[in-house]
Amino acid sequence: MPSKVRSDIQVTEEELYRAQVYQLLARLLGAPVDDELIDILKNINGDDSPLGVALNGLKDLAHRITLEEAVDEYSELFIGVTQGELIPFKSFYLTGFLNEKPLGEVRAHMEEIGIAKSDDEGDPEDHIASLFEMMNGMIDGSFGKPFTLPEQVRFFDNHIGNWAPKFFRDLEVAEAARFYVPVGRIGKLFMDVESEAFLIAA
């Protein structure tokens, strides 16, 4: 799915920040970290807000953890021998099973608004990383145009807000988590910010 803002599309600084947080979380949750991502994390500059403090916590860990440790942790959390400690799919969190009705709802919504699954995407579309990539594209215009706020709210409420906060709470306290503890905290805080902003805008 696209993640680069087109030069002919104007996006406010606030909206670009939102898109970037979605994209960062999507990258962290969609695949193990690599050297490039670790370098990006080492250069994060959070502020004194709760979200900024959590981002700085991730930055600190990026300086102290080895790449091998971070990759092994991702495997324990999300892959495992048969499955990881956490299963980051909407269907699982809402029904207890994979590939159920919630996945069909995501696919139907994607078709309705003209978002196609990437050819190189192996996971079902209700993986949290895929959903966050879609939110990123809806905000920054990389699907052809920025989606309106009501369109964003509808997608968030239907496919993210009803389960992702619990996922991030689970991630923050997961037994295998160390590097991903601040990732869980960032996600939890960001979901709170998004939910509150959408309520105010409604």
Side-chain angles (χ1 to χ4, degrees):
M1 295 172 185
S3 60
K4 185 177 181 181
V5 181
R6 281 173 31 182
S7 60
D8 60 329
I9 292 177
Q10 299 298 314
V11 181
T12 67
E13 185 174 340
E14 180 182 355
E15 293 299 279
L16 183 58
Y17 177 78
R18 290 178 57 227
Q20 288 172 339
V21 177
Y22 274 114
Q23 187 61 25
L24 176 63
L25 289 168
R27 174 61 187 86
L28 285 162
L29 297 168
V33 299
D34 54 21
D35 287 324
E36 180 182 8
L37 181 56
I38 289 290
D39 286 341
I40 290 171
L41 298 177
K42 286 179 178 178
N43 289 287
I44 285 176
N45 289 309
D47 54 27
D48 59 357
S49 68
L51 182 57
V53 170
L55 285 165
N56 283 332
L58 182 59
K59 174 182 180 177
D60 179 60
L61 273 175
H63 280 281
R64 294 190 286 112
I65 199 168
T66 68
L67 181 62
E68 182 180 7
E69 288 171 335
V71 170
D72 287 347
E73 185 177 322
Y74 182 92
S75 180
E76 286 186 53
L77 284 168
F78 305 120
I79 300 174
V81 177
T82 56
Q83 70 179 39
E85 185 176 346
L86 300 179
I87 302 175
F89 293 88
K90 177 189 176 189
S91 282
F92 182 83
Y93 263 79
L94 294 184
T95 72
F97 299 95
L98 295 171
N99 302 318
E100 293 294 328
K101 182 179 178 182
L103 172 58
E105 293 169 348
V106 172
R107 288 173 172 169
H109 200 157
M110 289 173 65
E111 183 176 1
E112 176 190 338
I113 61 180
I115 297 177
K117 182 179 180 179
S118 296
D119 293 336
D120 59 355
E121 178 59 60
D123 286 318
E125 296 89 327
D126 64 338
H127 191 289
I128 194 164
S130 295
L131 296 172
F132 277 29
E133 286 177 356
M134 285 185 253
M135 280 298 297
N136 167 70
M138 293 175 74
I139 296 165
D140 74 13
S142 55
F143 290 126
K145 64 177 179 61
F147 283 60
T148 66
L149 192 60
E151 290 172 323
Q152 294 177 34
V153 171
R154 179 173 169 239
F155 190 89
F156 180 90
D157 286 346
N158 288 339
H159 308 301
I160 294 174
N162 52 0
W163 73 279
K166 183 179 188 314
F167 166 79
F168 283 119
R169 290 194 298 271
D170 291 343
L171 178 58
E172 191 177 11
V173 298
E175 184 177 340
R178 177 192 167 209
F179 177 76
Y180 284 86
V181 168
V183 177
R185 189 170 300 123
I186 291 163
K188 180 180 67 176
L189 291 167
F190 185 55
M191 293 297 92
D192 289 343
V193 170
E194 286 286 275
S195 297
E196 291 172 9
F198 286 150
L199 281 174
I200 292 170

